Amino acid sequence: MSPFDHPNPTDEALMLAYQAGDVQAFDALYERHKNKLFGFLMRGLGRRAQAEDCFQEVWRRMIQSRARYQPQAKFSTWLYQIANNLLTDQYRRHAPEQAAMQQMANEPKPENRMSSDPLDGVSDFERRRRVQLAMEQLPDEQRVALQLRLEHEYSLEQIAEITGASRETVKSRLRYAQAKLIEELGS
Amino acid sequence: MTTHQHNPQPLSDEEQALAKLLGSPAAAPPKALDASIKQYARLQEGMTPTKRRRQPWLWGISSTLAACLVLMIALPSVRLTSEDLRPAQGIIDALSGKQEASEQARQVPLIPQPEDAPIAQAPSSRDGFREVDIIPQPPVVASAPESGVMEESIELEAPVMADIASKKATSDALQIEEAAAKPEPSEKTIRPAEPWLKDIQTLAQSKEPALRQRAKEQLEAFQAAYPDHPVPKSLLKKLNLLPKKQQSL
């Protein structure tokens, strides 16, 4: 029975079909998840070239290990687990570079960029830019957890499974990350 | 895989506000990357490891049958007899210091000897094998014991002696027949004196008158051929050719 008999097959049905040799099911899965996954990697790595390399590697690993997939697992959770493992490897590889960027980010900012007055006419564009900058300055674990929560709306349990941390750890990381962003926004 | 599906947790108001500010990265992978990944997935499906999962029982049965087949082929050829193991056992014993075992190992050839090799079928005469090519080997003749030893050491019993006497008489008769059968010497071919005289003596020993007459004739011929050759008196006496006075002596 083909998953395409159903008008809107689930990711898991498509993955099982691909596991059984249906290449069209892979194409459908890829089209569903490619943009979100690429955005996740872009946000995490900050450079397009690195993100493209990592994106390709995520799908390669997924294809290679498709035989191990079991339908009890949510496909997106499994896919982002692979992506998070690759991101972690990248962070470890570029740890000195990250530290230097962190130091630059901690330097005092110009006065005109840090206005605490909400009525000084800060535009939406400026607000978004500040959130993104604050996001980049977060520790890797906090940034990944917050990203998975805000952009993908994953539950604490799913984030815990993807990152390999406990639910309470994830909850704590999210709390710290949100506090930091709100602080940066000066709200 | 240990992941399990969970109920979605909706974003709180604060989270929604942050998510709205953060936005979603408007980034998409390049088209070339899309094509490359999809192509990779198709290629991997061609050498899929998942097809085994479809019918694992079939894979198990075929593997078992293949293993049985290999065993059936291999087992008869590796069955060793005690003869096969002798050289190896000898070597092992020799290495462990047993002198006798090493002797045995030396006696048993590890390399097949020519006599062990299969014998090629000899070609028949139809195949062009010429019989004249065969060189007959002389038969092995056992050396006869010395006559003196026989006479001294063996005492023959009476029946044996009678048998020997009869055989001797037969032999004498044969010699007489041979002597009678010999042609008389012609003028062209004169026989040597001694053998001729011996034949005449043999004829003279016979009791048959015809043969004795033959002996007389031969003796006359001999004396004609060899007038100067002496004739034994015993022969003349046997043939009654001596004068009456000497004959009676």
Side-chain angles (χ1 to χ4, degrees):
Chain A
M1 181 180 173
S2 170
F4 298 104
D5 295 342
H6 195 274
N8 190 21
T10 62
D11 288 349
E12 291 71 37
L14 289 172
M15 186 58 204
L16 288 175
Y18 174 53
Q19 212 177 42
D22 187 349
V23 183
Q24 282 186 334
F26 174 82
D27 291 350
L29 276 174
Y30 180 79
E31 291 298 329
R32 274 188 192 182
H33 291 276
K34 67 173 185 178
N35 288 340
K36 275 196 169 183
L37 180 66
F38 191 75
F40 175 73
L41 296 171
M42 272 293 291
R43 183 89 77 189
L45 294 167
R47 294 178 183 176
R48 190 171 181 90
Q50 275 188 343
E52 285 179 6
D53 289 347
C54 204
F55 179 78
Q56 196 170 7
E57 181 61 18
V58 170
W59 288 106
R60 191 192 70 79
R61 288 191 186 186
M62 175 259 173
I63 291 165
Q64 288 287 330
S65 56
R66 64 190 182 281
R68 292 200 296 272
Y69 174 76
Q70 293 180 5
Q72 292 88 346
K74 196 172 180 183
F75 172 75
S76 59
T77 305
W78 183 55
L79 185 68
Y80 279 85
Q81 241 178 359
I82 298 171
N84 183 64
N85 290 339
L86 279 169
L87 276 182
T88 305
D89 291 345
Q90 290 285 328
Y91 295 152
R92 284 175 186 160
R93 206 172 296 159
H94 301 288
E97 190 181 338
Q98 294 276 333
M101 288 178 69
Q102 188 76 26
Q103 191 176 357
M104 286 173 64
N106 290 336
E107 287 175 358
K109 298 177 177 65
E111 284 297 321
N112 61 351
R113 290 188 62 191
M114 287 296 292
S115 173
S116 59
D117 186 359
L119 303 174
D120 62 355
V122 176
S123 64
D124 268 359
F125 176 80
E126 184 63 23
R127 282 175 179 264
R128 286 179 183 179
R129 178 176 163 75
R130 282 184 188 180
V131 169
Q132 286 171 7
L133 282 171
M135 190 85 168
E136 288 174 8
Q137 291 165 16
L138 288 173
D140 296 331
E141 297 84 2
Q142 291 181 18
R143 184 176 60 251
V144 168
L146 190 62
Q147 196 179 340
L148 289 170
R149 179 66 188 149
L150 298 182
E151 292 181 0
H152 301 272
E153 297 186 16
Y154 283 144
S155 65
L156 294 179
E157 289 79 8
Q158 282 178 305
I159 297 170
E161 286 183 3
I162 290 171
T163 58
S166 68
R167 184 181 182 278
E168 293 307 311
T169 304
V170 171
K171 194 174 179 181
S172 172
R173 285 174 183 171
L174 284 174
R175 191 169 61 245
Y176 279 112
Q178 287 177 12
K180 190 83 177 278
L181 287 187
I182 290 169
E183 183 187 333
E184 287 293 326
L185 283 171
S187 57
Chain B
M1 285 293 298
T2 56
T3 54
H4 302 279
Q5 298 194 34
H6 301 281
N7 294 325
Q9 293 171 350
L11 297 178
S12 65
D13 293 342
E14 197 177 43
E15 286 173 334
Q16 282 182 357
L18 281 174
K20 193 177 177 182
L21 283 174
L22 193 59
S24 59
K31 299 277 184 188
L33 200 56
D34 290 348
S36 170
I37 290 168
K38 287 178 181 175
Q39 180 69 17
Y40 180 75
R42 277 172 175 75
L43 285 173
Q44 287 298 307
E45 184 50 35
M47 52 184 84
T48 176
T50 60
K51 284 182 178 173
R52 276 187 195 171
R53 290 166 53 91
R54 293 180 201 170
Q55 294 172 330
W57 58 272
L58 185 61
W59 173 249
I61 288 172
S62 58
S63 304
T64 308
L65 284 174
C68 288
L69 188 63
V70 168
L71 284 174
M72 285 171 65
I73 294 168
L75 275 181
S77 63
V78 298
R79 192 175 294 149
L80 296 176
T81 63
S82 58
E83 284 296 316
D84 296 328
L85 294 173
R86 274 182 64 196
Q89 186 60 46
I91 291 166
I92 291 166
D93 292 345
L95 289 172
S96 61
K98 292 181 182 176
Q99 184 67 26
E100 293 178 3
S102 63
E103 287 292 330
Q104 186 183 2
R106 217 174 294 135
Q107 288 171 3
V108 178
L110 290 175
I111 301 169
Q113 297 299 306
E115 58 263 26
D116 296 334
I119 299 166
Q121 188 157 4
S124 64
S125 57
R126 290 179 185 174
D127 298 329
F129 182 78
R130 295 184 303 162
E131 293 182 358
V132 293
D133 292 339
I134 301 172
I135 301 169
Q137 298 296 319
V140 178
V141 179
S143 58
E146 293 177 11
S147 59
V149 174
M150 286 290 286
E151 286 173 2
E152 289 175 4
S153 61
I154 299 174
E155 292 179 1
L156 298 177
E157 295 178 357
V160 178
M161 289 296 289
D163 187 43
I164 290 171
S166 66
K167 283 181 180 177
K168 191 172 186 302
T170 307
S171 175
D172 291 344
L174 286 173
Q175 284 179 355
I176 291 165
E177 285 178 6
E178 284 175 3
K182 282 180 181 175
E184 294 178 3
S186 62
E187 293 179 355
K188 292 180 180 178
T189 57
I190 298 172
R191 293 180 64 188
E194 291 301 327
W196 192 1
L197 195 58
K198 199 172 181 180
D199 286 345
I200 293 167
Q201 284 178 326
T202 305
L203 285 171
Q205 288 176 356
S206 177
K207 295 176 180 176
E208 290 186 21
L211 292 176
R212 291 177 62 82
Q213 182 58 37
R214 181 81 179 272
K216 287 179 182 176
E217 292 170 2
Q218 288 280 325
L219 184 59
E220 287 175 3
F222 176 79
Q223 286 175 335
Y226 299 98
D228 300 331
H229 196 284
V231 177
K233 281 186 180 178
S234 60
L235 177 59
L236 294 173
K237 189 178 179 181
K238 282 180 181 177
L239 293 175
N240 296 320
L241 294 175
L242 285 173
K244 287 185 179 178
K245 290 182 180 176
Q246 291 180 10
Q247 191 74 29
S248 63
L249 292 174

